[in-house]
Amino acid sequence: MKRLFFPLAAAAFIVSFSATAQAGALTEGQWTASRCGPKPAVAALDLSDPDAYNKSVGAVDTYRRSIRTYLDCLVQEGNADIQSISNAIKLEQQAAATANEKILTDVKAADAKFEGGGK
């Protein structure tokens, strides 16, 4: 049983280390990415005259490109966080199952050892 504990502990360390390297933050139910930078500011078309409109089209195009990149980053980081959380939970479940198996083995050993009132 001790052999199984080390890989679980090592895996838990690796998962927690990798999660801190790329994880977003969850504060009061609000998730924010840690590596995507600030959300790009929305650009608007200037409809005051044709020259202003033409100049504002470039800003809108820049916004559209940058928001796509930002959203792709959010999805990628969010999915990585979900995977890290899922892996950490699985490791906890495996550790609990291993502990329970040890308890059951000990109960069987105690039953065999102490059968008949501890004689």
Side-chain angles (χ1 to χ4, degrees):
M1 291 293 170
K2 287 185 181 180
R3 248 191 230 174
L4 186 58
F5 176 75
F6 178 75
L8 287 175
F13 173 77
I14 291 167
V15 168
S16 66
F17 179 77
S18 66
T20 58
Q22 65 187 11
L26 186 61
T27 306
E28 296 182 13
Q30 182 67 37
W31 180 83
T32 55
S34 64
R35 62 183 175 90
C36 298
K39 181 178 178 180
V42 177
L45 294 171
D46 185 343
L47 305 177
S48 60
D49 63 62
D51 286 336
Y53 172 79
N54 288 333
K55 288 179 184 177
S56 67
V57 167
V60 168
D61 287 342
T62 299
Y63 165 75
R64 287 177 151 176
R65 282 191 301 277
S66 62
I67 197 66
R68 262 194 311 268
T69 301
Y70 176 77
L71 293 174
D72 288 346
C73 180
L74 288 181
V75 168
Q76 193 173 36
E77 188 170 335
N79 285 337
D81 285 354
I82 290 166
Q83 188 63 45
S84 293
I85 292 165
S86 178
N87 288 341
I89 291 168
K90 286 177 188 174
L91 287 172
E92 289 296 330
Q93 289 172 324
Q94 290 171 347
T98 300
N100 193 50
E101 288 173 17
K102 170 81 168 92
I103 291 167
L104 292 175
T105 300
D106 289 349
V107 166
K108 288 178 185 177
D111 283 346
K113 184 175 182 178
F114 303 125
E115 187 175 302
K119 295 180 187 176

